[in-house]
Amino acid sequence: MTSKKYCVSLLCLSLIIILAYAIVAEWMLHRLNETHTGESVAVDLQINENALYGSALTNDIGFLKHGIISRTKPDIIALGTSRTMQFRAPFFKNTTFYATGGLGDSVDAMEDTFDRISKDYVPKIIIFAVDWDWVNPNIRHVRNPPIFEEKTTISNRLNLYKGLYYELWKNEKVRAQLMRPELKERDMIGNRPTIGLLAGGKSNGFRSDGSYQYGEDILHPPSTAERFKDTHQRIQDGNRRFERTEHIDETEFLKLATLITKMRERGSHVIVLLSPFPNEIYQAFMESKGHRDFTLQFEHCVRDLCVAQNVPFYDFTNMAWLNAPDEEALDGFHASERTYGRIVLQFESDPVIAPYINKDFIEACMVNSNHPFQIIPADM
């Protein structure tokens, strides 16, 4: 065989292998309800059909959230971590709203998110939920680069295939679903179209307003002991966002102050809040060396910063301060939609956001729903 024929044969064999790899991967993605992960189609389905998005193959939701924000340009955004994902669009009236939670967990990540949003437009109001671990000097603060980028279809697909094969190797539940799929085209709670294995299998995923539906916990709420067990363990061990320290990180705190100034100078009205912990967890902080002094310093420093910048400030670090029982907590550091309804009602003291608060609706929902987590009708 000549070298030319050998090269042609090798090229053909490589193309056949690549094509077979892609065909098999696409078949598995379809079987796992993950076909639209990383695609603009997912953005279209969320905006136009209120689809529920929950992928089990990748944690990257930047393509989804930034895609929706750039198209809808909401007047009000909740900027923060997963602890903003319980704010809901129906909490507000005569305006548009979106929760950015899930795009990062550091001051740098919040600045990256704001900078990307402000390239297209500047939100009128930013509800900025500041997390305690952002200014912990014993936590490594990193930027998480997006996996899926616009206009790079091949790269996006290759990254999705990588996530697919990794989860198949690592996750027994994904393998079981591949063999015998038990997925629903519409979620069991809100009857929305589903995108992704978590949405189709557990009704877990992001709603079209950026909030997160904790499907399994809504359908079958665990006991508070079960919900708080992991957080108590983190506090005891001093790890996974609960590293012990006696003081805040001055460098990260300065970044926080600079970011608030930047958002205001760009034209946004900024409201700062400290997101709630269940009272049981807050008391664990107060009784724990390496957590108590840091937590109190964090609260006081953010309060003083907001006073200095004349920024509305709401300290909801303890759910009990909202008259919210611990039963309303999703886990040890995520309060539920019901608690966040209480928070939005407190915003009435701010004259800028007050006209947009859907007070009568929130109060009616809290009366009409007896669920500890969910108060807004499931299909909204």
Side-chain angles (χ1 to χ4, degrees), residues 277-279 316-326:
F277 292 93
N279 180 59
F316 301 129
T317 309
N318 188 339
M319 286 173 55
W321 301 343
L322 287 157
N323 294 318
D326 283 0

Side-chain angles (χ1 to χ4, degrees), residues 92-123:
F92 305 94
K93 62 183 180 180
N94 304 322
T95 190
T96 49
F97 168 85
Y98 195 78
T100 69
L103 296 177
D105 184 19
S106 66
V107 180
D108 287 335
M110 296 304 107
E111 184 171 25
D112 288 346
T113 298
F114 175 73
D115 286 345
R116 183 162 176 173
I117 290 171
S118 60
K119 287 179 181 178
D120 295 322
Y121 86 111
V122 176

Side-chain angles (χ1 to χ4, degrees), residues 35-53:
T35 299
H36 298 312
T37 298
E39 292 187 340
S40 60
V41 175
V43 179
D44 296 334
L45 287 170
Q46 280 230 304
I47 292 175
N48 299 324
E49 299 186 34
N50 195 24
L52 186 72
Y53 177 89

Side-chain angles (χ1 to χ4, degrees), residues 9-28 154-155 157-158 161 164-165:
S9 298
L10 184 61
L11 177 61
C12 290
L13 179 60
S14 299
L15 290 174
I16 290 171
I17 293 172
I18 292 171
L19 183 61
Y21 173 87
I23 290 173
V24 172
E26 290 295 333
W27 174 79
M28 290 190 289
I154 294 177
S155 175
R157 221 56 187 165
L158 290 176
Y161 295 165
L164 167 66
Y165 285 106

Side-chain angles (χ1 to χ4, degrees), residues 10-161:
L10 184 61
L11 177 61
C12 290
L13 179 60
S14 299
L15 290 174
I16 290 171
I17 293 172
I18 292 171
L19 183 61
Y21 173 87
I23 290 173
V24 172
E26 290 295 333
W27 174 79
M28 290 190 289
L29 290 174
H30 175 75
R31 195 166 171 84
L32 294 172
N33 198 33
E34 295 275 0
T35 299
H36 298 312
T37 298
E39 292 187 340
S40 60
V41 175
V43 179
D44 296 334
L45 287 170
Q46 280 230 304
I47 292 175
N48 299 324
E49 299 186 34
N50 195 24
L52 186 72
Y53 177 89
S55 173
L57 305 183
T58 175
N59 292 323
D60 180 37
I61 54 166
F63 81 95
L64 181 76
K65 293 211 161 188
H66 284 301
I68 291 175
I69 292 171
S70 66
R71 295 192 199 183
T72 61
K73 296 179 172 56
D75 291 333
I76 304 174
I77 66 168
L79 179 63
T81 63
S82 58
R83 301 176 85 209
T84 64
M85 296 188 318
Q86 295 75 42
F87 283 111
R88 299 296 311 279
F91 287 164
F92 305 94
K93 62 183 180 180
N94 304 322
T95 190
T96 49
F97 168 85
Y98 195 78
T100 69
L103 296 177
D105 184 19
S106 66
V107 180
D108 287 335
M110 296 304 107
E111 184 171 25
D112 288 346
T113 298
F114 175 73
D115 286 345
R116 183 162 176 173
I117 290 171
S118 60
K119 287 179 181 178
D120 295 322
Y121 86 111
V122 176
K124 292 180 182 178
I125 300 173
I126 296 177
I127 301 170
F128 188 26
V130 176
D131 266 354
W132 84 112
D133 59 317
W134 296 352
V135 293
N136 185 324
N138 293 329
I139 294 178
R140 183 168 172 259
H141 305 288
V142 298
R143 284 181 166 95
N144 295 319
I147 295 174
F148 301 113
E149 290 285 0
E150 296 179 36
K151 301 178 182 178
T152 55
T153 305
I154 294 177
S155 175
N156 287 351
R157 221 56 187 165
L158 290 176
N159 279 318
L160 183 56
Y161 295 165

Side-chain angles (χ1 to χ4, degrees), residues 226-242:
E226 291 177 280
R227 283 180 256 162
F228 299 168
K229 181 179 179 181
D230 179 66
T231 305
H232 277 300
Q233 191 65 53
R234 295 186 190 202
I235 294 171
Q236 181 180 328
D237 295 342
N239 61 18
R240 293 182 293 152
R241 296 182 73 178
F242 292 84

